[in-house]
Amino acid sequence: MKSESHRFSILQLTLSAVIVAFLASCAAPKTTKIVQQPEVAKTAEPEQQSASYFIRQSKEQTGKQALNSLITASDYQLAEGQPLKALWLANQLQAQTSGQQEYRLLIVKAQALLELEQIDLAWQQLVKAQSVNTDLDVKYYRLAHQVNLARGFTLDALDAQLFAFSMNPQAGEEEIEALWQAFQQLSSWQLSQLDNNKAPYLSGWVQLTKYAHRFGDDLSAFHRYLQQWRRQFPTHPANNLVGQLLNKEKAYPLGAQRIAVILPLSGRQQAAGSAAQQGILAAYQEQSITKLHFFDSETLDWTTLKSTLETLEIDYVIGPLLRERVNQYLAIDDITIPSLLLNVSAQHTLSENQFAISMRPEDEAVQAAATLARKDYQMPIVLVHQDQVSQRIATAFVDEWQRVTGYAPKLMPFSKGKKMQTMLKSALGVFQSKARIDDLNSRIKHTIKAETRNRRDIDMIYIVGSATQTRLLKPHIDVSISPFADTIPIYASSRSHSLAVDEGDTRDLAGMSFTEMPWLLASQAQNKPLMQVTKQLFPTRSDSLQRIFAMGYDSLALVNKLALMQKYPYVRHYGQVGTLQLAANQILTRTLLWGRYNKDSVQQIAMD
């Protein structure tokens, strides 16, 4: 820090004389005709391609010509790896600039701040640059791409990347491959959010990515849809890329022949283990797996597990299910058998041949918040039940909303009984409205009949609670909304949806939307024949066990797909727990569907 301050002081001393002389020349009347200095050609002498050259040159110039030289000098300081100098010089010059010159300086400042890891300040400079010059150039979009990536705004970064590509006449295969890599990393819910964007070439990229997601694991189908894409987008720049995909030899891995499944088949979590086992067996009926070996994780001799698996010539492991058993399994040295864990460990990093399915409720909250935040709601509130799981979901929702919008929605906890209605009326401002009516009545002789009104600034409600709690809460919301006010959209997590509870009347929940896995939502993605069978065999199975059953069902299909997903990042698994994507940390994350309650039914909806 001390050396940095020292460098900054030297910079001030060396440049102060130049800046003072320049500012004085700007203030004096100009008699010399100003000629715009052209940019330095690539054939210029080496000494003419440096910041010091343009600073010296500015001493011999006046007005705009001198200012342009100094702006160019700040740009060269960036190229010379001196962002502090570039930032200082740009700050000194900015007050004397406007229009295109100010735009150039703001780009310099944004680049310097990015290199100094001041990401938010860099973004502020780009926002200002857009306000002073709506005719944005390739340099702006390249920088916007970098800054948005650093901010974690993946979709905005991709949007800027597409604009930069379209403005670059020298863009070639390397830039096309970079775009393809970016699209491959998008989750299914992120991809759906791009449909309404206006970036160049976007529709072709989105359609190509959707085909890759859906058919990337089926060679013949993928080739068929790639040919269809070519007919639909004959002039798209990704056509060469599609040609490479068509010609690429895909070495699809052979299926596992002996699979070990480690589940809690006794003890306190036996019901969960049995549900996962039944899901795996249901999938087994549809596949040609040679042999399954089930192990009870609660009675297993973990000290001999490695040798047992080797003796049985196991070539894949599914499980364990319980988190403590996952940690126990990962602690075993030298197990190199490919494994699909049914829970995520916070203690161990997964190796290249180890994978895990994430069913964390926080992931669902992030998807919901990122999706809803793009709908321009200005004043959302989050109603959260005071239990540990609900609190985790609500916190994840608020954190993601704040990251995207800069605003943190207000958290309003609720509990059962009369306190629920009291909390809700307070949150919606109904008590304040009644107080104003009572105050007015106290000031006049006659009683005024007036309806209490809820706050008009609240424009969205997100509920986090169980299905039973939501059924109690939702009617209170409805009656607390003034008949003169617009309907407030209500959204919820999957905890608010229950197949068992929905067997009764659903009218109280009408209008509420929620996220859910395909297995528990009537949709095209749901395996309806299997759902009918399980309803007959297990009519009283709880929602939580239904989710574990679906995970077990998906896990067997994933065994023969994970190596492909690892090799080709565009491959997705459209399962019953959601659309699964393999992340860089070897964890499978999900995209969920959206459902909505009508008066007498629940249906899937599109959430653009």
Side-chain angles (χ1 to χ4, degrees), residues 12 35 80 126 129 205 238 295 351 416 431 454 524 588 607:
Q12 288 179 308
V35 179
E80 293 165 4
L126 289 177
W205 279 114
F295 294 85
S351 66
K416 296 180 181 179
F431 284 144
N454 59 285
Q524 291 183 346
L588 290 153
M607 188 65 72

Side-chain angles (χ1 to χ4, degrees), residues 30-232:
K30 306 294 187 301
T31 58
T32 306
K33 182 178 179 181
I34 304 301
V35 179
Q36 182 72 28
Q37 184 77 3
E39 291 187 7
V40 178
K42 292 184 178 179
T43 56
E45 294 298 323
E47 62 268 23
Q48 294 179 348
Q49 298 182 26
S50 66
S52 58
Y53 169 80
F54 285 99
I55 291 175
R56 289 196 305 273
Q57 188 180 56
S58 70
K59 298 178 183 178
E60 303 170 3
Q61 299 167 332
T62 58
K64 281 189 175 181
Q65 195 175 27
L67 183 55
N68 279 333
S69 291
L70 288 171
I71 294 173
T72 303
S74 67
D75 216 351
Y76 271 97
Q77 286 172 334
L78 287 174
E80 293 165 4
Q82 303 180 86
L84 271 175
K85 286 186 177 181
L87 181 61
W88 184 85
L89 180 55
N91 279 331
Q92 304 307 309
L93 299 174
Q94 189 171 355
Q96 302 298 317
T97 63
S98 61
Q100 185 65 22
Q101 288 181 326
E102 184 179 6
Y103 172 78
R104 289 179 62 196
L105 278 179
L106 288 167
I107 296 299
V108 168
K109 290 176 66 175
Q111 181 68 57
L113 288 164
L114 175 63
E115 293 180 20
L116 294 169
E117 299 183 356
Q118 300 296 316
I119 308 303
D120 290 338
L121 291 176
W123 176 245
Q124 291 174 19
Q125 304 311 305
L126 289 177
V127 172
K128 291 178 183 177
Q130 190 174 21
S131 69
V132 301
N133 181 19
T134 56
D135 187 18
L136 304 174
D137 58 10
V138 65
K139 194 168 186 178
Y140 170 90
Y141 284 112
R142 283 174 177 166
L143 191 53
H145 169 238
Q146 294 175 307
V147 172
N148 277 311
L149 278 182
R151 295 170 68 219
F153 285 72
T154 305
L155 299 184
D156 293 333
L158 183 53
D159 193 72
Q161 191 177 4
L162 285 167
F163 275 101
F165 174 84
S166 70
M167 293 179 175
N168 180 14
Q170 282 78 44
E173 296 302 316
E174 186 176 342
E175 287 78 12
I176 292 172
E177 180 62 29
L179 281 166
W180 179 228
Q181 292 297 326
F183 273 97
Q184 289 182 80
Q185 301 305 318
L186 297 180
S187 64
S188 294
W189 62 265
Q190 286 177 316
L191 191 64
S192 66
Q193 292 181 356
L194 287 173
D195 285 341
N196 297 323
N197 284 26
K198 304 299 181 184
Y201 308 116
L202 179 62
S203 59
W205 279 114
V206 169
Q207 188 61 67
L208 176 60
T209 308
K210 287 181 177 179
Y211 285 157
H213 281 186
R214 174 65 70 174
F215 305 109
D217 63 326
D218 184 335
L219 189 58
S220 60
F222 193 31
H223 278 202
R224 189 165 61 252
Y225 279 95
L226 287 176
Q227 296 286 11
Q228 179 177 317
W229 183 92
R230 274 189 153 178
R231 291 190 294 271
Q232 189 176 357

Side-chain angles (χ1 to χ4, degrees), residues 436-472:
R436 288 191 294 271
I437 294 171
D438 291 343
D439 180 64
L440 184 59
N441 282 329
S442 68
R443 295 171 183 271
I444 60 178
K445 296 180 179 180
H446 302 284
T447 300
I448 296 176
K449 293 183 179 180
E451 291 277 357
T452 57
R453 297 169 182 253
N454 59 285
R455 288 173 54 180
R456 299 300 181 91
D457 55 345
I458 294 175
D459 56 3
M460 193 275 280
I461 296 173
Y462 187 71
I463 299 175
V464 188
S466 70
T468 302
Q469 294 156 359
T470 304
R471 278 179 169 268
L472 294 173

